[in-house]
Amino acid sequence: MLYPEVVRAGSLQNALQVVADGAGYGLTVELTSSPGWRHVAAQVAADGFSANVLMARGERSFSVDCSAGGIRMATGNIDGLSEVAGAMHSWLQGPRVRELVAQWPFLRTWELAEAHERGEAVPVRWRQLRAASARMQDTALHELVEAAFEQPRLRVLSPGRSMYWLTFSRRASPPICHDLPRAMPLGNGRYRVRFADGRVQDVDGAAEAVAVILDRPSASTPSRVKSHAAGTAASLEKRADAVVPASMRSDYGGL
C-alpha cells in the first residue's frame, strides 16, 4: 500500500491535517477547487500565500506547489508527508523563495519567480521570450518579438504567448490584461493584429504589425494593409491552423 496514512484518514486533507496538528503548525488544511481530487489533493492558504499538494499514482510521491499572489514560485516532490506539512507551513510564513528552497531542498525555484519577488518580472519575461523565440524554427515570430522589444512603449509591458499570439499585459502577475492588441505571424511575411473589440488587421512585416499595435502606422501602411471585421473565434483559429504547422504548435505555449 503506497499511502497507508491517507487510507486510514480517509483523504489526503485529513492525513495532512493530522500531521500538521501533531507538529503544532496551526494549519487549516482545505480541499482544492477540483472536485475529482477531494481524496488525493489538499491546500493551505494565508495572506496571499498558498500551497497545494497532490498524490502521485503508481508510486509514493507528494507533489507540492507554492504560490504567491497567483504566481507559482516553487515546486517539488517528496515521499514524506511530514516534509510536505513542514514546507507548506514555512511558505505561509512569507519567506523569500530562496530561503524556502534552502530550508526544504526537495523544492526548487527559478529565475522568474525570484524576479517577481524583486518586482523585476517584466524585463526577465522579455529576455526569456526573446531567447525562446530565437531557438524556434518560426523566424517570423522571432522577428515580431524583436520588433516589439525595440519599442519603449511595448518594452514596459509584460509579454507572453497565447497559442499563436504575442500578447501584452500591463501587469506581469494576475489578473493579466486582455484589453491590449496582440499579434501573430500568418506566414509569407504577413502578420495579423487583433484588437480587444474583435477587429483584426493584416499587414506585411513585423515592423508594420508593431506600428499598428502602437496605433501609428508608417507612411507605407495604407497601401499594404487590409482591415476587416473579425469572424468568430472558431473561424480565426481555423485560419490560424492553416498557416501554422501542427508540428510547431507546442512552441506556442504560455510563457
Side-chain angles (χ1 to χ4, degrees):
M1 186 181 296
L2 295 176
Y3 301 100
E5 71 274 55
V6 176
V7 173
R8 287 194 301 270
S11 70
L12 178 58
Q13 177 195 19
N14 293 341
L16 186 59
Q17 187 69 69
V18 169
V19 173
D21 290 347
Y25 289 146
L27 293 177
T28 299
V29 183
E30 302 174 334
L31 294 174
T32 69
S33 59
S34 301
W37 288 358
R38 62 179 296 106
H39 298 297
V40 299
Q43 67 178 7
V44 296
D47 300 324
F49 289 82
S50 64
N52 61 68
V53 56
L54 176 67
M55 292 163 50
R57 297 179 60 183
E59 64 174 344
R60 182 182 172 88
S61 180
F62 297 102
S63 178
V64 178
D65 284 318
C66 300
S67 300
I71 299 294
R72 189 163 170 252
M73 302 292 286
T75 189
N77 294 273
I78 197 164
D79 61 5
L81 201 53
S82 60
E83 289 88 346
V84 171
M88 286 180 150
H89 173 257
S90 295
W91 181 237
L92 295 194
Q93 307 313 301
R96 307 293 284 185
V97 70
R98 276 292 167 189
E99 297 172 358
L100 178 75
V101 299
Q103 184 179 2
W104 302 99
F106 76 91
L107 294 174
R108 63 179 179 85
T109 189
W110 40 87
E111 181 186 16
L112 186 56
E114 294 184 89
H116 274 286
E117 282 189 330
R118 300 190 305 268
E120 300 173 357
V122 168
V124 172
R125 287 182 65 86
W126 269 113
R127 182 166 54 75
Q128 292 184 346
L129 177 59
R130 295 176 70 199
S133 66
R135 294 191 299 268
M136 294 179 183
Q137 296 178 352
D138 186 2
T139 58
L141 178 62
H142 180 57
E143 292 172 3
L144 178 61
V145 169
E146 291 301 310
F149 182 74
E150 290 177 1
Q151 300 299 322
R153 285 171 54 195
L154 296 182
R155 201 160 55 238
V156 298
L157 300 176
S158 177
R161 286 184 292 133
S162 177
M163 292 296 288
Y164 315 101
W165 300 92
L166 170 63
T167 64
F168 304 96
S169 173
R170 298 180 191 86
R171 296 179 291 270
S173 58
I176 301 300
C177 301
H178 297 288
D179 62 334
L180 299 179
R182 57 181 59 194
M184 64 171 284
L186 294 175
N188 299 318
R190 290 184 62 74
Y191 293 81
R192 172 162 296 166
V193 178
R194 184 175 182 179
F195 301 92
D197 61 6
R199 289 179 301 114
V200 296
Q201 187 166 327
D202 295 349
V203 300
D204 292 326
E208 295 289 0
V210 169
V212 170
I213 290 173
L214 292 170
D215 195 26
R216 54 169 184 76
S218 65
S220 63
T221 299
S223 64
R224 299 199 292 146
V225 173
K226 177 183 178 182
S227 298
H228 51 85
T232 64
S235 66
L236 286 174
E237 294 304 330
K238 183 176 180 181
R239 294 183 66 180
D241 288 344
V243 297
V244 180
S247 62
M248 293 175 57
R249 291 174 195 164
S250 62
D251 292 335
Y252 286 79
L255 181 68

